[in-house]
Amino acid sequence: MADEPTINEPTTNEAPKSERASDPAVSVVGPDDGETITLGTTRGRILEDGTTTGHRLGLAEFVLAPGTPGPPQHRHAQHDEGFYIISGTLRFTVGDRVHDASAGTLVMVPPGAPHTFANVTDHPAVMLSIFTPDLYVQYFRDLQDMTADGRKLTPGANIQVMSRYATEPATDFADFA
């Protein structure tokens, strides 16, 4: 019967459940979307700044150029930080231990654990950074603002910005002179 609806056609004028006004907002960030962060040779994209997750979670994608040094080794007091390597290899230093993390590796850092990372290879590396809660997303915005003003991203300047986000240098594992 030609007049009967097929299984794929709606039988009412009601919006699909996912589009109803009473449903929570859903964030969809396409491959060319997101807030762009530039920190020297590192390019970042904020995928979730905590707005959709009630500030329980923040996500960012970072592309690190070959030979990119990371931040000074540090500890977070109020958030977990995760790194999922999408492509390339990053070197993670955790206290006095070194881990080379290649594509497909997840590194989870709980509060209080000293850590840093760098791209010591001759190839770009891409990682997804996870922050729970989203506290650290603003840190990257602040670093970008600082360098946009012409200031250099020195270890000391980096530590100064980190201190705003319950983060301190791991001075027992690194020299910050």
Side-chain angles (χ1 to χ4, degrees):
M1 303 195 164
D3 293 337
E4 290 184 30
T6 66
I7 196 161
N8 294 327
E9 293 179 333
T11 56
T12 69
N13 289 332
E14 185 176 335
K17 186 175 182 179
S18 64
E19 295 177 13
R20 293 182 194 158
S22 62
D23 290 337
V26 172
S27 173
V28 177
V29 181
D32 297 322
D33 300 334
E35 176 186 348
T36 301
I37 300 284
T38 303
L39 303 170
T41 60
T42 298
R43 188 179 76 249
R45 218 168 41 108
I46 305 299
L47 304 172
E48 172 57 51
D49 68 357
T51 303
T52 307
T53 64
H55 301 285
R56 294 179 306 274
L57 175 73
L59 293 167
E61 175 189 68
F62 290 100
V63 180
L64 287 81
T68 298
Q73 193 161 183
H74 57 280
R75 291 181 171 92
H76 305 295
Q78 296 181 0
H79 71 276
D80 297 278
E81 188 170 28
F83 305 90
Y84 180 75
I85 311 308
I86 297 169
S87 66
T89 299
L90 291 172
R91 175 162 291 163
F92 286 83
T93 304
V94 181
D96 56 5
R97 296 186 349 217
V98 173
H99 305 275
D100 286 337
S102 58
T105 302
L106 174 67
V107 177
M108 284 301 304
V109 180
H115 66 285
T116 189
F117 58 87
N119 182 356
V120 298
T121 73
D122 294 331
H123 304 284
V126 181
M127 71 176 172
L128 181 68
S129 294
I130 305 129
F131 317 102
T132 62
D134 70 337
L135 179 65
Y136 225 48
V137 171
Q138 188 60 41
Y139 160 77
F140 295 104
R141 291 172 174 150
D142 289 356
L143 284 181
Q144 177 176 256
D145 291 346
M146 182 184 75
T147 58
D149 290 348
R151 289 179 275 173
K152 295 282 185 195
L153 187 55
T154 64
N158 202 322
I159 289 166
Q160 181 184 10
V161 176
M162 285 179 178
S163 70
R164 299 178 200 159
Y165 302 98
T167 301
E168 63 183 25
T171 55
D172 46 340
F173 292 105
D175 180 17
F176 294 98

